[in-house]
Amino acid sequence: MKIPSTKIPVTTKLAPRTLYWVTRDLRLDDNPALGIAAQSESLLIAFCVDPHWFSPIRYQLPSTGIHRWNFIQESLSDLNSSLLNLDQQLLVYYERPELKLVQLIRDYQIQRLVCSRQFGWDEIQSLASIQKQLPDLTIEQVDGTTIFDLQQLPFAPGEIPQTYSCFRRAVENLPVTSPKQVPDSLPSPLTETPGSLSRPSWIPDPQNTACPFRGGESEALQHLHQYFSGKLPLHYKEVRNELAGWDNSSKMSPWLNNGCLSPRRLRTVLDNYEQTRQRNESTYWLWVELLWRCLLYTSPSP
């Protein structure tokens, strides 16, 4: 079943009860989906850890290894700390989303489900399953993973170019929406229950690793500030393919991928750097690579 592309109307009427399904948007800063979900009288914020992440797939390896899982756990903890400061909380469940979210919606008589727009095959299928089980549920997908809203793109639905050069020429001069600030307040939570109180046996135990990346919005914003506080952006194009060495490439990808860092926030900081410090081919190439990511996340998985 195809989930409709929903354009959010501007309205002052609040939805009675909303479930915000957190996926790859583990942040408060510039989170349009959270802003839409907050237009509600009460709000439940949930994240589902899917058992499929840890099951062997291609080459008998799971899609989520220990480094990625450590990063996700740190990101969840950081987001929950930020939400607690707004008198909300992140409920974490170790179940398939198409099962757990339906249960939550029924248990709490929720009328609306909000999430960032999904482009992965599994997530799209989960939304389709939820809609099939709950045909009267309103599902609103909000653009927050990419730089541009789908409505901004100069392409008809289903006609996004398959080649990057065509996509880039068409969109690189489009205006970028200013990032939204962290909300001052959020609706009251629907429940005080802290989600799953015990971890299932299929969840890997925490491990100390040598991975230098730490998950969470706080770490993402700190790295963003450090990277643009010196001359590293001026040499990005020369070193972007050198994986070893912390000063090579930009090292933004893990936080962008998990939604700890908004691509629009990154573009805004890059613009400010070019205006106040210096612009050269390397700073432009940061924008070029960000657009490449935009194409990947704009084209739904087959």
Side-chain angles (χ1 to χ4, degrees):
M1 178 183 297
K2 182 179 180 181
I3 301 299
S5 174
T6 306
K7 185 174 178 60
I8 309 302
V10 177
T11 177
T12 57
K13 184 178 180 180
L14 299 180
R17 295 185 173 198
T18 296
L19 169 59
Y20 170 35
W21 178 27
V22 180
T23 53
R24 292 189 178 185
D25 43 7
L26 296 168
R27 66 181 187 274
L28 295 188
D29 177 58
D30 190 40
N31 188 334
L34 177 59
I36 295 299
Q39 297 173 14
S40 180
E41 295 175 3
S42 53
L43 176 63
L44 191 152
I45 304 176
F47 182 92
C48 291
V49 179
D50 194 328
H52 290 164
W53 296 353
F54 304 95
S55 299
I57 48 175
R58 185 180 302 174
Y59 308 121
Q60 296 303 304
L61 295 172
S63 63
T64 301
I66 189 59
H67 296 296
R68 183 181 179 191
W69 175 234
N70 283 349
F71 193 93
I72 292 174
Q73 290 183 98
E74 292 166 350
S75 301
L76 293 173
S77 178
D78 187 70
L79 177 59
N80 188 50
S81 296
S82 299
L83 288 171
L84 289 174
N85 291 331
L86 296 173
D87 298 321
Q88 257 289 352
Q89 62 177 326
L90 177 65
L91 306 180
V92 178
Y93 299 98
Y94 301 94
E95 298 182 48
R96 292 168 56 185
E98 62 269 28
L99 300 180
K100 187 61 187 181
L101 297 183
V102 167
Q103 178 189 337
L104 292 172
I105 290 166
R106 287 173 172 162
D107 288 349
Y108 293 100
Q109 300 179 347
I110 291 170
Q111 296 89 0
R112 184 176 67 144
L113 169 65
V114 175
C115 62
S116 290
R117 191 178 303 282
Q118 301 301 310
F119 299 102
W121 171 258
D122 291 340
E123 292 81 3
I124 291 174
Q125 294 305 304
S126 293
L127 277 180
S129 176
I130 292 169
Q131 188 74 88
K132 184 176 181 179
Q133 296 176 72
L134 302 169
D136 295 330
L137 176 71
T138 298
I139 296 180
E140 297 182 5
Q141 295 190 68
V142 186
D143 292 304
T145 307
T146 57
I147 297 171
F148 306 110
D149 293 351
L150 285 185
Q151 291 82 6
Q152 285 183 270
L153 298 179
F155 315 112
E159 296 183 3
I160 295 174
Q162 296 300 304
T163 61
Y164 172 62
S165 57
C166 292
F167 178 82
R168 172 182 151 193
R169 286 194 295 268
V171 305
E172 66 176 325
N173 293 318
L174 291 177
V176 176
T177 302
S178 298
K180 302 180 183 299
Q181 300 296 321
V182 174
D184 296 324
S185 62
L186 291 172
S188 59
L190 275 168
T191 176
E192 299 298 328
T193 304
S196 299
L197 297 177
S198 60
R199 291 156 56 98
S201 59
W202 46 264
I203 288 288
D205 292 329
Q207 298 181 25
N208 293 324
T209 70
C211 180
F213 293 101
R214 294 291 176 264
E217 179 180 17
S218 300
E219 292 285 340
L221 294 178
Q222 179 179 342
H223 177 69
L224 182 69
H225 171 75
Q226 290 177 342
Y227 184 76
F228 284 98
S229 64
K231 296 184 178 181
L232 292 179
L234 301 177
H235 304 285
Y236 170 76
K237 189 177 181 182
E238 305 160 27
V239 299
R240 71 189 190 280
N241 293 324
E242 298 179 24
L243 300 181
W246 190 256
D247 289 345
N248 295 325
S249 185
S250 70
K251 302 296 188 293
M252 301 289 175
S253 294
W255 292 292
L256 285 170
N257 182 59
N258 270 42
C260 302
L261 176 63
S262 158
R264 294 173 183 172
R265 178 63 65 192
L266 174 53
R267 171 59 197 258
T268 298
V269 173
L270 173 60
D271 283 347
N272 182 68
Y273 186 91
E274 291 184 324
Q275 294 168 12
T276 61
R277 298 285 294 270
Q278 185 177 343
R279 172 185 170 90
N280 66 5
E281 189 176 19
S282 280
T283 60
Y284 170 67
W285 219 255
L286 279 163
W287 174 231
V288 167
E289 299 288 1
L290 200 55
L291 287 176
W292 185 284
R293 176 186 179 277
C294 186
L295 173 60
L296 295 177
Y297 277 85
T298 300
S299 302
S301 299

